[in-house]
Amino acid sequence: MWFPWIRTTSIYWKRAFGKSGWVGAHTSQKKPNWSRVKVNLPQPISPCAERPHSPLMSSQQPSHLTEKQFVDPTPLPDNIPKVDEVGATSAPLKSASFFIGQYCKAYNDDFMLCKAESNDPEHCLKEGRKVTRCAIDLITKLRENCGKEFDAHWQCLENHNQQFYSCRKPETTFNQCVFEKLGLEKKIPGSPEGQEQVHEKKNPVIRNQFK
């Protein structure tokens, strides 16, 4: 069987080292002429050298970023109740999430039932506005009655990757204040009945889930 690559390798070897090939220093034959071997290596580019202009270079592209916040100017229909946005980031919303679920349970259930009726986003705009208004009402009450405890808890979540188990001390103070002022108690949905809640345990066991 004939292999083309054998002939190509043989021709390259003869052109580079002659017919005798590489024999070694212990023989009397002529050593290969290394000057005949040409290797095209890329030339180093000086960092100060002027490079040709290319329209594809990222440094030449115009910037499309803006520091202005985008606000959709399209007004809502007249049949949709006017309501402001919540205006809170993820950490305050997570801090108040269990109380929002308890305080706004009726509006949340109504919204979810409405979403199950139709896939049209416009079908449940009114119910969604009621949920937003209820969340705004509760956050306003939390700031008025337990503002210091609320800020301490959500700031702790913000600084600890929003993990509840890292902020149990400010959470306990915050939950106690909300229960005394607003009558709301934190209950984790789906937790076993008759057992102590995880946030109420004095010495909880934290297991490493990556083991």
Side-chain angles (χ1 to χ4, degrees):
M1 182 178 295
W2 178 74
F3 297 92
W5 62 271
I6 297 179
R7 178 175 177 82
T8 306
T9 306
S10 177
I11 294 174
Y12 173 78
W13 186 270
K14 290 181 179 180
R15 289 180 179 178
F17 306 108
K19 295 183 179 180
S20 60
W22 184 302
V23 179
H26 62 280
T27 62
S28 59
Q29 296 187 14
K30 188 177 180 180
K31 293 183 179 181
N33 187 5
W34 293 102
S35 61
R36 300 180 61 182
V37 181
K38 295 182 180 180
V39 180
N40 297 326
L41 297 176
Q43 297 296 329
I45 301 176
S46 175
C48 300
E50 182 178 358
R51 299 185 179 182
H53 173 73
S54 174
L56 299 179
M57 295 176 62
S58 60
S59 59
Q60 303 295 334
Q61 293 294 326
S63 176
H64 299 285
L65 300 178
T66 177
E67 296 181 356
K68 297 182 180 179
Q69 295 182 357
F70 177 75
V71 179
D72 190 358
T74 305
L76 292 174
D78 296 334
N79 58 340
I80 302 301
K82 301 297 185 297
V83 63
D84 297 330
E85 298 297 332
V86 177
T89 58
S90 58
L93 288 176
K94 188 169 185 178
S95 175
S97 58
F98 290 95
F99 301 117
I100 292 177
Q102 183 179 355
Y103 186 76
C104 306
K105 186 177 185 303
Y107 300 105
N108 294 337
D109 293 344
D110 189 24
F111 176 75
M112 297 305 298
L113 291 174
C114 179
K115 294 292 290 185
E117 294 175 357
S118 175
N119 293 329
D120 186 9
E122 190 178 359
H123 181 67
C124 302
L125 288 178
K126 291 183 179 180
E127 288 77 5
R129 292 294 174 179
K130 293 178 181 179
V131 172
T132 305
R133 186 182 295 109
C134 180
I136 293 176
D137 183 29
L138 177 61
I139 292 179
T140 303
K141 292 181 178 179
L142 291 177
R143 294 191 180 280
E144 292 177 353
N145 296 276
C146 304
K148 184 178 179 181
E149 294 80 1
F150 182 40
D151 292 340
H153 185 221
W154 74 257
Q155 288 175 5
C156 179
L157 293 176
E158 184 73 18
N159 297 327
H160 292 83
N161 200 24
Q162 298 193 10
Q163 300 290 344
F164 279 113
Y165 65 83
S166 301
C167 304
R168 291 304 184 192
K169 289 184 178 181
E171 180 185 358
T172 302
T173 306
F174 176 52
N175 294 344
Q176 184 178 359
C177 178
V178 174
F179 179 74
E180 294 176 355
K181 300 293 183 62
L182 302 178
L184 298 176
E185 185 178 4
K186 178 180 177 180
K187 294 293 183 182
I188 301 177
S191 58
E193 296 183 2
Q195 296 185 12
E196 190 178 14
Q197 297 280 320
V198 64
H199 59 278
E200 296 176 350
K201 294 183 178 181
K202 296 181 180 179
N203 297 315
V205 178
I206 307 299
R207 295 181 179 179
N208 189 359
Q209 58 182 347
F210 297 105
K211 286 186 178 180

